[in-house]
Amino acid sequence: MTRSVIPVLTVIAAIIAIWYAATIFLNAPFERDQAERADTTITFAEIIPKTMAQERPVLPAPHQVAQELWKTTVRTRITSKRSLIWHAGITLAPTLTGFVMGTLLGILLAVGIVHSRVLDRSLMPWIITSQTIPILAIAPMIIVVLNAVGIQGLMPKAFISTYLSFFPVAVGMVKGLRSPDVMHMDLMHTYSASKSETFWKLRWPSAVPYLFASMKIAIAISLVGAIVGELPTGAVAGLGARLLAGSYYGQTVQIWSALIMAAIMAGLLVTFVGMIGNAVNKRMGVRA
Amino acid sequence: MMILVAAIAFWLTAWFINTKLAKGPDTPLINLLIPFLFGAALIALWEGICRGFDVPTVLLPPPSMIWERITNSVPILWADFKQTYLKAVIAGYVMGCGAGFLAAIAVDRSDFLRRGLMPVGNIMSALPIVGVAPIMVMWFGFDWQSKAAVVVIMTFFPMLVNTVAGLTAASHMERDMMRTYGASYTQTLFKLRLPAAMPFIFNALKINSTLALIGAIVAEFFGTPIVGMGFRISTEVGRMNVDMVWAEIFVAALAGSLSYGLIALLERKITFWHPSMRPSR
């Protein structure tokens, strides 16, 4: 772990350096244009600080985004509509609801598939096909149609997250529930264990590490689903709404800060699931 | 009501046949027939419920109505498909996967870079990258170039991470053997490490094929010329022409499945040696 700290930091530093360079490069034409209109000449050294402080830059500098983030998270009341934490909370609710529903659905499907040969052979190809359908593209329709029936708010967004997150869990759990080797299964057989005993005492425990590995993927795409689900509701609230509003009004700093916020959220959620997974695995005696 | 009963009867019969078939032998024909019957039963059930309960077509149009819409509006669907898939998705996919692959090979030469980039790349592939869509539309304009740019960014990291992981897949023994042969770096790369990395690379290609379609369609929600699958979906939803939206979804699903299938077929040809390609049991 500690071995990779310095390389990771170097890479991040390099990304920030490239970002700054790109800021100068991309924002300079606007400043040159301004100078030309004012009939003044501007040197390159004068351009650089100006490119870092534009109101609506093509690419905002990292510190501008950081300032915006600081302003909208720490220095704004959480209940205010300007607070990014408030918007993140709005996005978090459908993410978690969808994630929980998706995980349950995925586990159920996997249990069915492992125990029934018919389900295995008829359902599995369709589960894989279901993921080649770009559900995110259909998200607006699901939202609008459910809205027309009177279901609105949290649930439609949660449905999209559910659809996205059930897949990795189902596939991972099928693998996990089938992971006990033949010897172990035979042992259960010699004990004359029933199907449910085999399931709870052998299959389920050996599937838990797989469950947490797929849950990490599931929660990340669940967040993507919730963000995209917010787009068609007309940019009311949530991180997706911040993105859309920002793109309507050319507020690039706002877009970037919403993006970074989403990234931080994704990182926290994945780490959180990973930590729970590690703790559970350790208690169940899985070797790291 | 009759239609509903007929649909349920069809569904039950299909299920019954499937239980019989599933106990049978593992031939390719039967493996194709079972999911096909399952799908046909689902569609029949869908049609039956829609007609039987008089579900408003705004909510859920029956499959027959969607099919009629598809056959009636082939030119529009084709134009959208050309704009979104043939231009944005394919250009972005090739550039993104290519760049990810080349970057992986460059990174692979330095252990320092690899240790630094892998965690960052892993985090990046978990991020909601679709979010850069509005920025790309701002930078590259409304036409397909901005969509291709989103696709490039979305496909780059999965490819990078998987290829780097794949390049370490060749075992020490095999690498030592290449050394004893006095093989150069490029020879080892092309004869041993790239072939060994192929399963990982194909994994990334498969993930990316769906990601690319999603990226291009979602990017179109943020502004497009008046053609394209994402544009059509968002405008027809607004006009409550749900059957047109479903037609568009059908095209997307077909394109997604076909490209996935094509990649899977290619994988079968190239990584024929991999244990997962052997027939089961």
Side-chain angles (χ1 to χ4, degrees), chain A residues 3 58 117 121 126 131-132 137, chain B residues 22 31 35 115 139 217 257:
Chain A
R3 253 171 27 120
V58 179
R117 212 171 137 69
R121 292 176 73 176
W126 285 104
Q131 296 303 305
T132 63
Chain B
N31 277 339
R115 263 187 286 150
W139 285 5
I217 294 182
S257 309

Side-chain angles (χ1 to χ4, degrees), chain A residues 3 7-8 10-11 58 117-118 121-123 126 131-133 136-138 140-141 144-145 149 220 244 247 252 256 263, chain B residues 19 22 25-26 30-31 34-35 38-39 59 112 115-116 127 134-135 138-139 210 214 217 221-222 237 245 249 253 257:
Chain A
R3 253 171 27 120
V8 169
T10 319
V11 167
V58 179
R117 212 171 137 69
V118 197
R121 292 176 73 176
S122 51
L123 208 55
W126 285 104
Q131 296 303 305
T132 63
I133 301 173
L136 282 184
I138 315 169
M141 192 190 63
V144 171
V145 164
V149 208
L244 195 65
S247 91
T252 38
W256 280 95
Chain B
T19 40
D26 222 4
I30 288 180
N31 277 339
I34 293 175
F38 185 81
L59 251 185
F112 183 80
R115 263 187 286 150
L127 293 189
I135 298 165
M138 232 174 255
W139 285 5
T210 38
I214 289 176
I217 294 182
F221 296 161
F222 289 96
V237 159
V245 179
I249 292 169
S257 309

Side-chain angles (χ1 to χ4, degrees), chain B residues 69-90:
Chain B
R69 170 63 73 167
I70 294 171
T71 45
N72 281 342
S73 43
V74 170
I76 300 181
L77 291 174
W78 173 246
D80 290 345
F81 177 76
K82 215 163 63 180
Q83 169 77 13
T84 305
Y85 196 86
L86 296 185
K87 287 182 185 165
V89 171
I90 291 194

